[in-house]
Amino acid sequence: MIEIYTIPVSLYCAKLRTFLRHKELKWQEIPPPGGYGSSNYKKIIPSGNLPALIADDFYLSDSEVIAEYLNETHSQKPMLPTDAKARAKAREKSRHHDTRLEPSVRATFGFLPNKELSDEQSELFAAAINARLAQLANLLGDETHLDAGDLHLGDCGFPITFAWIHSIEHALGLKIIWPSTVLDYKNKLKKVPAVVAELADYEPKLIAFFTKE
Ligand SMILES: N[C@@H](CCC(=O)N[C@@H](CS)C(=O)NCC(=O)O)C(=O)O
């Protein structure tokens, strides 16, 4: 059984679960020892990040690194293309998510669930997210693997980050511009069973986060 350290609302834990669901792997979720951000947890996982994999005395952090490792060690339903160029493009998309789009969303977290923003702050946040969505639109190819129900590793972060963007555009009143290519991609993702299952599990947690007192 695969064991992972997680907390319920973590976006990267949801990304990893999407991968695990598509790969049809079974896993058990464990809260980080000592709590999120604790020195106890950092003794095990130096970055203090979630998610992390525990496999006997082997510990691994970073959602992408864990997914690549499990993709290599479990041969069913490979989630990286066999062609080198297609594989590199899948990774490029993943990096765009982890290093560009998601951080532009995370920048708003200090203002959530519903702190009032100045017009200037609101425009800055929206501009940063919109720039990353526009770049994603240019990065996306025809994504035909999704029509075949074939989710790639590089797709796994996007459904949850899109759900966060929808939530913060309402909660903070951001003017988000969704390129049609990104909307098409989002709609295709929402037909993949692993994404359907993860969103069904995750969306109530997201709603609870945004409606807490
Ligand atoms: N690139 C990392 C990012 C993980 C990440 O930022 N996780 C958040 C929870 S969603 C976290 O652990 N934040 C606490 C921290 O950065 O100290 C990954 O893919 O796992």
Side-chain angles (χ1 to χ4, degrees), residues 7 9-13 15 36-37 41-42 47-51 61-66 98 102 106 109:
I7 54 166
V9 83
S10 157
L11 195 153
Y12 283 98
C13 295
K15 172 188 159 186
Y36 178 52
Y41 183 56
K42 285 186 184 144
S47 66
N49 268 185
L50 293 160
S61 67
D62 195 288
S63 60
E64 194 76 10
V65 174
I66 298 167
D98 288 7
E102 192 278 340
R106 187 167 292 259
F109 283 8

Side-chain angles (χ1 to χ4, degrees), residues 115-133:
K115 275 196 194 147
E116 201 145 314
L117 296 183
S118 66
D119 288 350
E120 191 190 1
Q121 185 70 73
S122 171
E123 276 162 30
L124 279 173
F125 281 145
I129 295 171
N130 288 336
R132 298 315 191 185
L133 287 174

